[in-house]
């Protein structure tokens, strides 16, 4: 495509023999595989820009390509790294290629090893490439344990091929645990497929750049966000909340566009002009903002989720009617007043945590819901949405379900933001029990939190 | 002025806009390719200022379209002067002249030109600044990139109005929401970050030559420390750097100390939450120390 563009710019006579033009097109190919969205119009711009700045000064070439091809702040780092590698010294490129070849060989060895060692009665277990790589990376003594477990099972009485799928799922479960434990040390990314070995090597290196610093935090289980990343996570929540606020405010404003002429007011106002309609008056729809009641489980490991959910909800306070917040473990505790004192969020959270009796205790939802229904009846109205942030793990599930049914009748809706990872839902009885009464969505990452608020609550 | 990178550098420096090669080459490409320049970056890094400087460098008019939620074509492009048209109808009724009234009512005389149309209709090449484009609706954005790709607009009653001179278009965005691919494709892109310490020193020296070199360095280093703090929400802008420098000059100070920082902190951090975050994470004494530590 790029070659054709170049020919169009310079006439058919110009043969693409020089390596520069082809290289620019290959470079764009590399960027596209690294995730940059580059259209054909931008390829034309890039080539035109190069004719303007010339190709003598390396920095000018870099800036010309960057300003025409990179259109998002998060892509800048990828571009810089790709440019440094692609237009860098041949020695550096060769070193990258050698590193990549070695990496591929090691990967192949690991896969072969896993194929050989993970068999059940002579049949290989059907594992994904990533699971095999996880196996190859766990400590030898744990691998040994896994192998001996498979061997013992295979040698058991009346054990035949029917056990194959059961054993496979047990092994997969164990590897999934290891995958989580080793997530910072393992490179499980797929090998690049650009159709060009040299580009594959470069892409493998470029791909290791953290493309969007916030991206990884967004998908990280909130509980696992390291303390050092907390300020960044808080900044990210502020940004998400702000973006959501802008969008919602815009949507509300947009509805004013469909305003209707207020004939009565227009006539009255234009009497002074003898009835000529100089100034028209319109009617616009009244906006009903949702009232939110937030119920956050702060028992044991739930505190981190509660803190993030509270920050997010208070971040969008201008687009919701009112927010009432409660924390609970064994008892209900109203924390709304803390958020009205105008302190910054971290200080407020610290105060809530220090003064709350509930932080870190066991969970008992039934009396909590009962207390909410009895003591705060006045705020459970037809406009109220109740958001429960909890992993559903509680004593006396059936009592809690009964309470929940009663509360649901009093309010507009109850939405459960379940912090238990979705893959564990099937094994938790409480999830099944509560989800029969209320809408339940997985919410253990910041990305989940943002999506569920945008799509399920504010809409 | 002939458009070359060297000439731009000279003119920008003369206008007191101290910048780097990346900005200069990107502006140069935008001018030569006659494509809009989309500038993204944090508030206060000098996006709007760049458009003003361009207008002064080329001695031309700056036409500004300030975007906001709910901005529509009537406010951005043109609208008919409804009240004036009504008055004309009233007068014509009494004068009993009416045959070509309808034609007259939709003539240029009754057209209220808004910034986009003004820029397109201008005889001279002007700078069109579309400020904070991320605040508009998606539908307005779509309309905008139609105008920016053809530089012509269609007024049903008058026909198509073609640009006399293609304006130099600068769009700015604070990145509050992602702009559409369509708009980005039509633009040359520049991400403006806060200036480096060295560049900020140069900016202070260019704008306020009376501020000593030592104090300029300390101010710039102090600003870099504050901007690096994740919990300070509204990072101090370049304009605030200059305000601070000017204040220190007025107070006849030539060094940054913790007392001076405390006395003047509200010139840089303008919210209670940010001041608290500063006190908690950095503090005046540490900031003064960091500012004085020359690398």
């Amino acid at each position: 495509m790029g070659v054709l563009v170049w020919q169009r710019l310079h006439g058919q006579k110009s043969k693409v023999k020089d390596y520069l033009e082809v290289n620019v097109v290959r470079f764009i190919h590399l960027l596209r595989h690294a995730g940059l969205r580059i259209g054909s119009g931008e390829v034309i711009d890039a080539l035109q820009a190069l004719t303007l700045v010339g190709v003598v000064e390396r920095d000018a070439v870099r800036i010309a390509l960057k300003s025409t091809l990179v259109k998002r702040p998060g892509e800048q780092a990828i571009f810089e790294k790709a440019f440094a590698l692609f237009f860098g010294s041949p020695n550096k490129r060769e070193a990258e290629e050698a590193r990549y070849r070695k990496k591929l060989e090691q990967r192949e060895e690991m896969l072969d090893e896993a194929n050989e060692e993970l068999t059940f009665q002579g049949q290989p277990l059907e594992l994904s490439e990533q699971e095999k790589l996880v196996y190859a990376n766990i400590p030898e003594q744990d691998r040994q344990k896994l192998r001996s477990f498979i061997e013992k099972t295979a040698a058991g009485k009346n054990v035949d091929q029917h056990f194959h799928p059961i054993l496979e799922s047990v092994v997969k479960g164990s590897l999934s645990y290891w995958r989580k434990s080793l997530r910072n040390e393992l490179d499980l990314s797929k090998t690049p497929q650009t159709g060009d070995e040299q580009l594959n090597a470069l892409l493998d290196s470029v791909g290791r750049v953290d493309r969007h610093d916030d991206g990884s935090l967004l998908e990280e289980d909130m509980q696992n966000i390291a303390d050092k990343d907390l300020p960044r996570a808080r900044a990210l929540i502020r940004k998400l909340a702000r973006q959501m606020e802008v969008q919602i405010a815009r949507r509300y404003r947009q509805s004013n566009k469909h305003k209707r002429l207020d004939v009565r007011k227009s006539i009255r106002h234009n009497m002074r002009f003898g009835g000529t309609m100089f100034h028209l008056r319109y009617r616009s729809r009244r906006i009903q903002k949702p009232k939110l009641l937030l119920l956050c489980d702060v028992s044991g490991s739930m505190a981190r989720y509660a803190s993030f959910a509270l920050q997010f909800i208070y971040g969008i306070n201008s687009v919701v009617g009112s927010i009432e917040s409660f924390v609970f473990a064994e008892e209900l505790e109203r924390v709304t007043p803390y958020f009205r004192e105008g302190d910054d969020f971290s200080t407020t959270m610290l105060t809530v945590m220090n003064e709350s009796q509930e932080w870190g205790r066991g969970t008992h939802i039934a009396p909590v819901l009962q207390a909410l229904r009895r003591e705060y009846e006045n705020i459970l109205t037809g406009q109220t949405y109740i958001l429960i942030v909890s992993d559903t793990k509680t004593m006396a599930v059936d009592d809690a379900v009964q309470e929940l049914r009663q509360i649901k009748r009093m309010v507009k809706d109850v939405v459960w933001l379940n912090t238990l990872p979705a893959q564990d839902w099937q094994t938790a009885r409480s999830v099944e029990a509560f989800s029969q009464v209320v809408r339940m969505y997985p919410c253990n990452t910041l990305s989940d939190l943002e999506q569920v608020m945008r799509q399920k609550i504010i809409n | 002025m002939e458009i070359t990178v060297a000439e731009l550098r000279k003119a920008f420096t003369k206008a007191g806009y101290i910048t780097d090669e990346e900005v200069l080459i990107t502006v140069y490409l935008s001018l030569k390719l006659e494509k809009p320049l989309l500038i993204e970056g944090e508030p206060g890094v000098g996006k709007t200022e760049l458009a003003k400087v361009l207008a002064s460098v080329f001695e031309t008019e700056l036409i500004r379209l300030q975007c906001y939620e709910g901005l529509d074509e009537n406010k951005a492009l043109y609208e008919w002067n409804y009240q004036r048209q009504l008055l004309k109808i009233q007068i014509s009724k009494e004068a009993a002249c009416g045959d070509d009234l309808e034609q007259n009512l939709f003539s240029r005389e009754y057209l209220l030109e808004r910034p986009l149309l003004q820029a397109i209709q201008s005889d001279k090449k002007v700078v069109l600044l579309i400020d904070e484009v991320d605040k508009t609706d998606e539908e307005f954005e779509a309309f905008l990139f139609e105008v920016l790709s053809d530089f012509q607009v269609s007024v049903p009653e008058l026909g198509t109005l073609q640009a006399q001179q293609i304006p130099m278009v600068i769009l700015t965005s604070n990145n509050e929401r992602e702009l559409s691919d369509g708009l980005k494709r039509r633009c040359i892109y520049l991400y403006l970050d806060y200036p480096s310490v060295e560049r900020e020193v140069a900016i202070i020296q260019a704008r306020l030559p009376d501020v000593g070199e030592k104090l300029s360095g300390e101010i710039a280093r102090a600003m870099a420390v504050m901007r690096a703090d994740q919990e300070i929400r509204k990072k101090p802008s370049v304009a605030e750097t200059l305000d601070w420098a000017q204040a220190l000059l007025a107070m006849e100070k030539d060094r940054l100390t913790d007392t001076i920082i405390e006395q003047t902190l509200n010139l840089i951090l303008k919210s209670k939450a940010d001041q608290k975050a500063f006190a908690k994470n950095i503090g005046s004494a540490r900031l003064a120390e960091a500012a004085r530590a020359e690398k």
Side-chain angles (χ1 to χ4, degrees):
Chain A
M1 156 74 223
V3 174
L4 291 175
V5 169
W6 187 257
Q7 286 175 339
R8 212 164 72 202
L9 286 170
H10 293 270
Q12 291 297 323
K13 279 180 190 170
S14 151
K15 294 205 170 161
V16 191
K17 56 185 178 199
D18 200 345
Y19 84 127
L20 176 83
E21 300 87 53
V22 179
N23 264 358
V24 169
V25 174
R26 284 183 73 218
F27 179 60
I28 291 169
H29 190 57
L30 171 68
L31 291 178
R32 282 178 176 153
H33 275 277
L36 272 69
R37 291 203 292 269
I38 301 171
S40 47
E42 283 149 321
V43 179
I44 297 176
D45 289 346
L47 293 169
Q48 279 181 331
L50 284 183
T51 60
L52 285 168
V53 298
V55 290
V56 183
E57 278 186 52
R58 185 185 151 84
D59 216 32
V61 171
R62 181 183 65 80
I63 297 167
L65 292 177
K66 189 174 165 185
S67 60
T68 48
L69 302 175
V70 186
K71 309 275 171 90
R72 282 162 199 85
E75 295 171 352
Q76 310 246 337
I78 295 185
F79 174 86
E80 295 293 354
K81 181 144 192 192
F83 186 87
L85 278 175
F86 192 89
F87 293 102
S89 69
N91 291 346
K92 208 171 167 188
R93 274 206 306 274
E94 277 161 21
E96 276 306 317
E97 282 168 43
R99 181 198 59 77
Y100 180 63
R101 270 196 302 275
K102 197 172 166 197
K103 185 180 161 184
L104 281 187
E105 280 166 18
Q106 282 174 345
R107 195 182 167 102
E108 279 306 310
E109 277 170 21
M110 286 193 253
L111 292 175
D112 288 346
E113 197 177 68
N115 282 336
E116 248 172 57
E117 293 179 1
L118 296 176
T119 57
F120 176 75
Q121 297 182 340
Q123 293 288 317
L125 299 182
E126 275 187 37
L127 301 173
S128 70
E129 204 167 87
Q130 291 186 337
E131 284 164 337
K132 289 176 192 169
L133 289 174
V134 171
Y135 170 75
N137 279 284
I138 61 181
E140 176 51 33
Q141 59 187 44
D142 294 293
R143 271 197 289 176
Q144 178 59 43
K145 274 186 201 163
L146 201 58
R147 280 198 304 267
S148 65
F149 167 72
I150 298 172
E151 277 162 23
K152 277 182 193 162
T153 313
K157 260 187 187 176
N158 301 327
V159 173
D160 56 14
Q161 279 298 326
H162 288 100
F163 278 82
H164 193 126
I166 301 166
L167 185 89
E168 218 164 61
S169 83
V170 173
V171 172
K172 277 172 187 268
S174 167
L175 292 174
S176 155
Y177 161 77
W178 278 106
R179 188 178 171 168
K180 278 183 196 160
S181 327
L182 297 173
R183 68 179 181 282
N184 294 328
E185 298 150 41
L186 277 181
D187 177 15
L188 297 176
S189 51
K190 290 190 175 156
T191 47
Q193 303 289 339
T194 63
D196 179 331
E197 272 307 301
Q198 210 179 27
L199 287 189
N200 282 348
L202 299 183
L203 187 59
D204 183 61
S205 186
V206 169
R208 283 183 290 161
V209 177
D210 195 359
R211 291 182 182 191
H212 198 289
D213 263 346
D214 295 341
S216 51
L217 265 189
L218 267 177
E219 301 304 331
E220 181 75 68
D221 190 318
M222 287 182 249
Q223 202 186 351
N224 296 336
I225 293 176
D227 286 351
K228 69 175 172 56
D229 289 330
L230 281 182
R232 209 153 60 86
R234 280 198 283 268
L236 178 63
I237 293 178
R238 277 203 300 274
K239 190 172 152 194
L240 289 176
R242 173 75 191 128
Q243 280 177 350
M244 197 163 144
E245 256 190 338
V246 170
Q247 277 171 5
I248 293 163
R250 184 174 295 123
R251 206 179 63 219
Y252 286 154
R253 193 68 57 88
Q254 223 168 348
S255 70
N256 288 346
K257 281 194 173 170
H258 307 291
K259 55 194 172 184
R260 292 158 122 195
L261 189 67
D262 188 333
V263 180
R264 184 190 293 253
K265 263 192 182 169
S266 294
I267 291 174
R268 197 180 303 145
H269 185 81
N270 287 291
M271 294 287 263
R272 69 191 83 165
F273 307 121
T276 305
M277 295 287 180
F278 272 118
H279 297 137
L280 301 178
R281 289 287 177 266
Y282 296 94
R283 265 194 295 202
S284 54
R285 199 186 300 164
R286 231 179 102 211
I287 297 156
Q288 287 273 346
K289 294 181 179 179
K291 289 180 180 170
L292 298 185
L293 190 154
L294 197 60
L295 262 182
C296 289
D297 185 346
V298 291
S299 62
S301 58
M302 286 295 302
R304 178 67 67 79
Y305 298 109
S307 159
F308 283 143
L310 279 164
Q311 188 183 354
F312 192 87
I313 305 285
Y314 277 92
I316 55 167
N317 62 357
S318 73
V319 288
V320 294
S322 65
I323 306 171
E324 275 291 344
S325 39
F326 295 86
V327 294
F328 70 88
E330 290 169 7
E331 287 170 23
L332 184 70
E333 191 175 328
R334 183 166 176 260
V335 292
T336 315
Y338 293 106
F339 293 94
R340 289 191 180 145
E341 285 169 10
D343 283 339
D344 72 295
F345 191 81
S346 332
T347 319
T348 309
M349 277 314 290
L350 206 64
T351 322
V352 174
M353 283 162 78
N354 288 340
E355 296 186 14
S356 166
Q357 303 295 313
E358 293 301 302
W359 226 263
R361 290 165 73 175
T363 315
H364 199 175
I365 296 180
V368 168
L369 293 177
Q370 195 180 48
L372 179 71
R373 188 165 54 83
R374 291 193 178 151
E375 293 166 34
Y376 298 96
E377 197 185 350
N378 58 327
I379 51 174
L380 301 180
T381 69
Q383 277 86 47
T384 309
Y385 277 98
I386 295 184
L387 299 182
I388 303 176
V389 182
S390 169
D391 61 1
T392 73
K393 288 177 184 167
T394 174
M395 292 186 271
V397 174
D398 295 332
D399 293 348
V401 168
Q402 286 309 319
E403 281 296 335
L404 200 56
R405 269 188 220 283
Q406 295 199 41
I407 284 184
K408 204 186 166 203
R409 279 188 223 118
M410 302 165 76
V411 296
K412 184 157 187 175
D413 204 358
V414 181
V415 176
W416 197 302
L417 309 182
N418 191 346
T419 57
L420 200 66
Q423 63 265 29
D424 299 337
W425 283 23
Q426 281 183 336
T427 51
R429 192 182 81 84
S430 54
V431 173
E432 196 192 339
F434 288 121
S435 59
Q436 281 174 358
V437 185
V438 295
R439 289 193 286 156
M440 189 178 280
Y441 301 101
C443 184
N444 62 323
T445 65
L446 289 175
S447 165
D448 288 343
L449 178 63
E450 193 257 348
Q451 273 178 29
V452 79
M453 287 304 298
R454 183 195 299 275
Q455 292 166 6
K456 312 293 178 192
I457 315 291
I458 305 295
N459 266 344
Chain B
M1 185 182 102
E2 194 199 346
I3 302 174
T4 63
V5 178
E7 285 295 324
L8 278 177
R9 188 184 302 115
K10 218 189 292 175
F12 273 41
T13 312
K14 200 175 160 195
Y17 193 84
I18 311 296
T19 190
D20 55 21
E21 285 297 292
E22 184 147 342
V23 174
L24 288 170
I25 294 178
T26 311
V27 170
Y28 164 77
L29 288 173
S30 153
L31 296 175
K32 291 297 266 190
L33 295 172
E34 295 195 319
K35 286 202 156 246
L37 174 62
L38 170 62
I39 312 176
E40 284 193 311
E42 295 290 314
V45 290
K47 301 184 292 288
T48 307
E49 191 62 22
L50 183 60
K52 290 181 186 168
V53 169
L54 262 185
S56 92
V57 162
F58 287 95
E59 293 171 347
T60 187
E61 193 186 347
L62 173 75
I63 297 176
R64 181 174 182 162
L65 173 64
Q66 180 63 48
C67 298
Y68 52 87
E69 292 166 26
L71 175 68
D72 59 15
E73 294 163 37
N74 290 343
K75 298 278 184 307
L77 192 59
Y78 76 91
E79 66 183 324
W80 290 105
N81 192 338
Y82 169 66
Q83 279 85 356
R84 198 166 168 198
Q85 284 172 325
L86 276 178
L87 277 174
K88 176 74 177 173
I89 294 169
Q90 293 290 328
I91 294 165
S92 306
K93 256 192 209 163
E94 280 161 27
C97 59
D99 284 355
D100 52 356
L101 176 65
E102 190 181 336
Q103 211 177 350
N104 288 340
L105 279 179
F106 291 98
S107 62
R108 286 274 175 120
E109 211 180 323
Y110 295 92
L111 192 70
L112 291 174
E113 287 187 1
R114 302 296 186 206
L116 288 180
L117 191 59
Q118 275 174 29
I120 283 178
Q121 288 295 285
S122 175
D123 298 334
K124 210 177 164 193
K125 200 174 178 81
V126 295
V127 174
L128 171 63
L129 168 64
I130 303 173
D131 215 3
E132 302 189 339
V133 68
D134 51 332
K135 289 210 163 81
T136 59
D137 312 327
E138 282 86 351
E139 59 188 74
F140 180 76
E141 202 184 301
F143 154 77
L144 200 58
F145 69 69
E146 293 263 354
V147 175
L148 295 180
S149 47
D150 301 335
F151 290 103
Q152 63 175 35
V153 288
S154 180
V155 180
E157 296 84 356
L158 296 176
T160 303
L161 304 174
Q162 186 83 37
Q164 316 275 331
Q165 295 275 346
I166 291 182
M168 299 176 250
V169 185
I170 308 281
L171 297 108
T172 73
S173 159
N174 290 334
N175 215 1
E176 277 185 359
R177 73 174 170 86
E178 174 117 13
L179 299 173
S180 69
D181 281 354
L183 183 67
K184 286 187 168 174
R185 263 202 299 276
R186 282 161 177 82
C187 299
I188 300 289
Y189 182 86
L190 174 66
Y191 183 80
L192 263 190
D193 212 341
Y194 288 109
S196 62
V197 171
E198 294 74 27
R199 194 147 66 85
E200 197 149 29
V201 170
I203 293 170
I204 300 171
Q205 295 278 290
R207 294 289 181 94
L208 302 164
D210 293 339
V211 179
E213 207 171 310
K214 206 158 210 167
L215 183 61
S216 305
E218 290 181 4
I219 293 173
R221 279 190 290 277
M223 283 300 191
V225 171
M226 281 189 277
R227 286 175 191 145
D229 189 280
Q230 291 274 8
E231 285 187 42
I232 293 178
R233 290 189 199 186
K234 164 75 184 72
K235 314 271 184 221
S237 66
V238 179
E240 277 152 340
T241 305
L242 294 172
D243 287 347
W244 198 27
Q246 205 157 19
L248 296 174
L249 197 64
M251 291 163 78
E252 296 178 352
K253 305 290 178 198
D254 56 358
R255 298 302 301 265
L256 271 185
T257 62
D258 49 349
T259 323
I260 296 170
I261 292 173
E262 261 164 40
Q263 286 169 347
T264 54
L265 192 66
N266 51 4
L267 285 175
I268 328 159
L269 300 176
K270 295 173 178 170
S271 78
K272 190 182 160 196
D274 283 348
Q275 289 182 4
K276 274 193 171 179
F278 170 78
K280 192 179 86 184
N281 301 341
I282 309 172
S284 306
R286 262 185 60 205
L287 186 67
E289 197 182 316
R292 282 199 297 267
E294 269 185 70
K295 278 178 190 163

